[in-house]
Amino acid sequence: FTRSAGAVMAGMTPLSRVKGANSDIRMGVIGLGSTVKIGGKGKQDLKLFSALPGVRVTAVCDVDRTILETEAGKLKAAGRPVEAYGDFRKLLDSREVDAVVITTPNHWHAVMTVMACQAGKDVYVQKPASHNLWEGRKMVEAAVRYRRVVACPHGSRGATGFAEALEFVRAGALGRVLLVQGVNYKPRTSIGKVAGPQPVPPAIDYDLWCGPAPMKPLRRQYLHYDWHWDWDYGDGDLGNMGIHYLDACRWAAGQRTLPERVIAVGGRFGYDDDGQTPNTLIGFFDYRPAPIVFEVRGLPQNRAFREQDWERNARLSMDQYMGMQIGAIVHCENGYLAGSQAFDPRGRLIKRFEPTNQDTASDFIRRVRERNLDPHGADVLEAHLSAALVHMLNISYRTGKRTLPGQIREAVRGDKPMLASYERFLDHMYANRIDLEKDPAILGAALTMNPAEERFTGAFGAEANRLLRGAYRKPFELPERI
């Protein structure tokens, strides 16, 4: 750590103080995205916060000199010069930054968030909040200890109409909630397979890119984005797109704790590449009285999908999911909620809900100004609990084993929603011509959780608990005690 950041960690006064209600909130954006394959979420966040009234971006940071110089140059040309940093620790030292946006690979989220809180900055960190379950709790502790606003955007929490639709359900309009189902149908192509270690682009500080994660040889074609499918840096599509709607599912179920039981079924099917995470995954979260089932679909149905417009075809293929490609479905006694729309049991539209709330970025700025902080860190706690569901399901998958289809059916038969999800999983495999007798799916370990301690118990507890936290590379360790 740099000297001043270290001083803050020791309990000294933070370097920056939030401006008054009539002053600009000065933002630093950490992580600007990629110059290859996709544009990058960081650029979107830079544009988003730059456009908010009363917000001024004063600093940007990226380990890629090319993208850093490009984006800083654009801002200067537009008459909005900023300080450009290759090392986020120097940005955190700045007295000209009140709050930061963290849009980095997942393995950096918690470490940067804790350090930003220690440096007196409020934090808007991209999803998923954490890369493992243990560090998510450290984020909550840091927000409370240093009295920081820490927010993490999830798709349904913004101005979508979903909050208003949930109020309709909670008022009893559709009867009791019986089941919450999340779907994430987003076809993903293979990331390819390389013959050996690849050169790191010379403009990138690879040591800082890896940060707390292992600094291992690059063994994928693209350094950027495809880290999502490497366990050391990402959490698979469940933690990439799925987290938005897994959060919505937990919100709809009314749960502010972890489930006592979880099980996963899935695999990486259809191609042999350098990805490690499953591209098809289903999971069951044993919440009472309304459990959650979540379904990730990463394959097109057939060759026509691969050769045409995947997004359009994916939407057309989702009839069995009430026309949804991605989202949350709340099954009730007298109908169901699909996103921001309510339907009767026969599928007839009852009501469509319009948003009345702010988008997540504007809401973050409002709370930064108001300083009306929840003593328990409510905002980041919500993000931690939803990210923890991602980690629980991934841990079940990673501690499982390849199992023949009939044996999996027997294993999940006792949970009817999971059995129904598994039958849909089999249909999806059949549509993509995946022979599960020859290439069996992984049946995850049936894990039990102690929600109060956030640790696994039971027969698979010891093995599962080893995956609750990462091994942090110096000097980027998280402290045991915040």
Side-chain angles (χ1 to χ4, degrees), residues 37-48:
K37 202 171 186 183
I38 64 167
K41 183 65 177 172
K43 296 175 189 176
Q44 297 174 22
D45 282 345
L46 175 60
K47 182 179 180 180
L48 173 63

Side-chain angles (χ1 to χ4, degrees), residues 13-31:
T13 303
L15 293 173
S16 65
R17 290 296 187 188
V18 173
K19 301 296 182 182
N22 297 320
S23 301
D24 287 345
I25 302 298
R26 301 167 301 176
M27 298 293 300
V29 179
I30 304 174

Side-chain angles (χ1 to χ4, degrees), residues 156-157 161-172 174-182 243-257 287-294 327-332 336-340 382 386 389:
S156 296
R157 302 268 178 169
F162 188 67
E164 292 74 12
L166 281 185
E167 289 181 9
F168 181 75
V169 169
R170 286 174 180 154
L174 298 179
R176 290 185 302 116
V177 176
L178 305 176
L179 169 71
V180 185
Q181 178 188 6
I243 178 62
H244 287 298
Y245 304 100
L246 188 50
D247 171 74
C249 289
R250 186 182 60 79
W251 188 15
Q255 297 290 345
R256 298 198 71 202
T257 185
Y287 281 122
R288 309 291 175 85
I292 294 172
V293 293
F294 201 86
I329 304 158
V330 186
H331 300 268
C332 304
Y336 60 90
L337 197 68
S340 60
E382 291 290 330
S386 293
L389 298 186

Side-chain angles (χ1 to χ4, degrees), residues 7 17 24 33 82 105 165 201 203 231 259 283 298 309 363 419 448-449:
R17 290 296 187 188
D24 287 345
V82 297
W231 290 121
D309 184 339
D363 189 58
L419 179 60
T448 56
M449 166 65 71

Side-chain angles (χ1 to χ4, degrees), residues 37 188-196 198 219-222 226 229 268 270-276:
K37 202 171 186 183
R188 298 283 190 185
T189 57
S190 168
I191 67 171
K193 195 171 183 67
V194 298
Q198 302 297 293
R219 292 186 177 273
R220 57 185 183 277
Q221 185 176 359
Y222 292 104
D226 288 346
W229 329 127
R268 193 167 186 85
Y271 39 72
D272 178 25
D273 67 1
D274 289 314
Q276 299 173 348

